[in-house]
Amino acid sequence: MDVQRGRTDRRRFLLIAGLPVLTVGAGLTYLLWPEPPYRPEVRTDLEPLNRRLGPFLGELTDAHWLGYDIDASGAGDDRIPSPDSRIRLVGAARLPAGGAAAITAKPDHAFAPGAPSGLPAPLKKYLPADAAWQHSPGFDAYANGQGGKSEASDGTPSGRYLFDVARDLVHFDLLYLFT
């Protein structure tokens, strides 16, 4: 009988002492488990782009783009947002027929050859490798300044626009600062 009582006491002790240890161990494992790297998904919806870029680029079609908070660590980021959010809007879209030629032909913008830089990997396949990109700091200033302002455009944009006249493509890489 004493043997039976000893086993019962030992089981009770293990249950009482082991349960909190297992709970703490499981909690620490959950907290310390590494999250998979955040990879934003390529978007193809046009409404957000046409709302922000349409007033000075025209109606965009066939878009592939990313929009993400550059300060966020990833999907499900549950941190308290900073008072100044920085949203990167980067991608490529097709302009109306002749749209790129009309924009690059304006002499006040002085377009010159340029190249995209810092393109996120998911977007590389959507920009033709043999594109003849044209860039103008003057057009960037226009689009990011008064030309980029519309009632639907929130935040203060900064960034670059590159045009491929042969394909009527625009590549945009913008940073919106929300304060």
Side-chain angles (χ1 to χ4, degrees), residues 142-154:
Y142 162 74
N144 294 327
Q146 69 193 66
K149 298 291 183 193
S150 69
E151 292 176 22
S153 179
D154 301 330

Side-chain angles (χ1 to χ4, degrees), residues 50-72:
N50 281 323
R51 187 177 68 229
R52 286 187 168 82
L53 308 178
F56 53 92
L57 292 178
E59 187 78 15
L60 301 174
T61 60
D62 193 29
H64 295 89
W65 60 283
L66 299 172
Y68 59 94
D69 185 345
I70 63 173
D71 298 318

Side-chain angles (χ1 to χ4, degrees), residues 1 39 61-62 75 80 88 90 99 119-122 129 132 148 166:
M1 182 113 172
R39 290 186 180 96
T61 60
D62 193 29
I80 297 173
R88 184 179 185 194
V90 58
L119 190 65

Side-chain angles (χ1 to χ4, degrees), residues 109-155:
H109 294 310
F111 278 87
S117 62
L119 190 65
L123 290 175
K124 289 184 180 182
K125 63 184 173 184
Y126 300 109
L127 268 70
D130 61 342
W133 295 110
Q134 298 289 313
H135 175 251
S136 165
F139 182 82
D140 293 346
Y142 162 74
N144 294 327
Q146 69 193 66
K149 298 291 183 193
S150 69
E151 292 176 22
S153 179
D154 301 330

